[in-house]
């Protein structure tokens, strides 16, 4: 019995430690003052932009992934982003059908997961239909001080991410490039869902425990200056 208990504890520790590392780990702090948007305004082009998300079961198992729709603006002067705001339509959450196999998910389909994520168990879209990201700081990325999964990262971006009624400031690397009247913004970072109170049921719920804390966010934004 003692040997079984030790083996069980070892398995729990292993699963808890095997978190996904597909994105840069975002650092977090309390909400900060939003920067003034100076210079020219660039509007996000929906057909050229995407917001992808990936969630996991404990140990990085059975990833679920999909997309969300968003809109917003970036501001810049002298080819440097000064600020920006993105509004995310949480009701648009769409799970990729390839990530949910009904044969191994108790007959559940991707649409069932969509409905569950929209319910009061998680995002409660009836009460909180949108989330928001507002830039608070943009600085140069120093490759000598840290690595990034984003190839040729140019900047470190901080912003207030508001989900439901909780605002947390997150910081992550990004690659920002300017090309004529367009600016592109790419990042891939990882957040901890419980920082925003995104839990399934009450604290200690075994069903919530089986869901990894880590959630990957991949932003690929193209914004254009209308002039």
């Amino acid at each position: 019995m003692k040997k079984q208990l030790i083996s069980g504890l070892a398995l729990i520790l292993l699963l808890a430690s095997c978190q996904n590392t597909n994105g840069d780990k975002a650092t977090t702090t309390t909400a900060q003052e939003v920067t003034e948007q100076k210079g020219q305004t660039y509007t996000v082009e929906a057909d050229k932009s995407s917001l992808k998300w990936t969630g996991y079961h404990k140990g990085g198992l059975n990833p679920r992934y999909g997309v969300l729709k968003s809109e917003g603006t970036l501001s810049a002067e002298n080819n440097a982003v000064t600020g920006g705001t993105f509004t995310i339509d949480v009701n648009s959450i769409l799970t990729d059908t390839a990530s949910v196999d009904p044969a191994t998910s108790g007959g559940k389909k991707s649409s069932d997961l969509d409905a569950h994520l929209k319910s009061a168990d998680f995002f409660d879209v009836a009460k909180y239909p949108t989330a928001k990201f507002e830039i608070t700081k943009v600085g140069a990325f120093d490759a000598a001080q840290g690595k990034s999964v984003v190839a040729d990262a140019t900047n470190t971006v901080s912003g207030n991410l508001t989900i439901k009624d909780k605002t947390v400031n997150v910081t992550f690397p990004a690659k920002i490039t300017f090309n004529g009247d367009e600016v592109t913004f790419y990042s891939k970072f990882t957040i901890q869902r419980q920082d925003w109170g995104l839990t399934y049921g009450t604290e200690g719920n075994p069903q919530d425990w089986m869901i990894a804390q880590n959630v990957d966010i991949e932003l690929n934004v193209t914004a254009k200056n209308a002039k």
Side-chain angles (χ1 to χ4, degrees):
M1 179 65 73
K2 183 177 181 181
K3 184 177 181 179
Q4 290 176 333
L5 177 60
I6 292 174
S7 297
L9 289 173
L11 177 61
I12 290 173
L13 291 173
L14 177 63
L15 290 174
S17 63
C18 293
Q19 302 294 337
N20 64 314
T21 56
N22 293 326
D24 290 310
K25 183 179 179 181
T27 58
T28 59
T29 186
T30 56
Q32 305 295 307
E33 183 177 355
V34 176
T35 60
E36 179 184 355
Q37 296 194 41
K38 300 178 181 179
Q40 296 179 317
T41 298
Y42 296 76
T43 301
V44 173
E45 296 189 280
D47 59 336
K48 296 181 180 180
S49 305
S50 63
L51 191 167
K52 299 178 181 179
W53 57 267
T54 303
Y56 303 81
H57 287 86
K58 200 65 114 180
L61 302 174
N62 298 323
R64 304 290 193 245
Y65 48 89
V67 295
L68 282 158
K69 293 180 180 180
S70 64
E71 60 183 16
T73 59
L74 290 168
S75 59
E77 57 181 2
N78 301 320
N79 283 354
V81 169
T82 60
T85 298
F86 300 92
T87 299
I88 303 161
D89 178 8
V90 185
N91 201 48
S92 72
I93 194 165
L94 184 66
T95 304
D96 194 312
T97 56
S99 73
V100 182
D101 182 359
T104 59
S105 303
K108 299 292 186 180
K109 299 177 293 186
S110 60
S111 57
D112 295 317
L113 179 56
D114 293 341
H116 193 197
L117 291 173
K118 293 176 186 180
S119 75
D121 283 338
F122 285 100
F123 290 104
D124 196 2
V125 297
K127 189 175 182 180
Y128 306 101
T130 61
K132 181 175 284 189
F133 180 75
E134 299 173 286
I135 292 176
T136 58
K137 184 179 180 180
V138 180
F141 177 74
D142 187 354
Q145 297 297 316
K147 296 180 180 180
S148 172
V149 301
V150 177
D152 303 318
T154 59
N155 296 89
T156 299
V157 178
S158 299
N160 292 334
L161 177 58
T162 301
I163 302 175
K164 297 175 76 171
D165 55 359
K166 184 76 176 288
T167 300
V168 178
N169 192 266
V170 296
T171 299
F172 51 85
K175 181 178 181 180
I176 301 174
T177 56
F178 288 83
N179 183 16
D181 60 356
E182 285 189 344
V183 56
T184 59
F185 181 115
Y186 178 79
S187 63
K188 190 173 184 179
F189 58 95
T190 303
I191 59 174
Q192 303 287 306
R193 61 184 175 84
Q194 282 194 351
D195 286 344
W196 288 267
L198 295 175
T199 60
Y200 182 16
T202 58
E203 184 176 355
N205 186 322
Q207 290 176 299
D208 182 70
W209 185 90
M210 289 303 297
I211 305 171
Q213 286 295 314
N214 292 0
V215 178
D216 291 339
I217 304 294
E218 184 175 2
L219 285 174
N220 196 344
V221 174
T222 297
K224 188 172 183 178
N225 184 326
K227 293 184 179 180

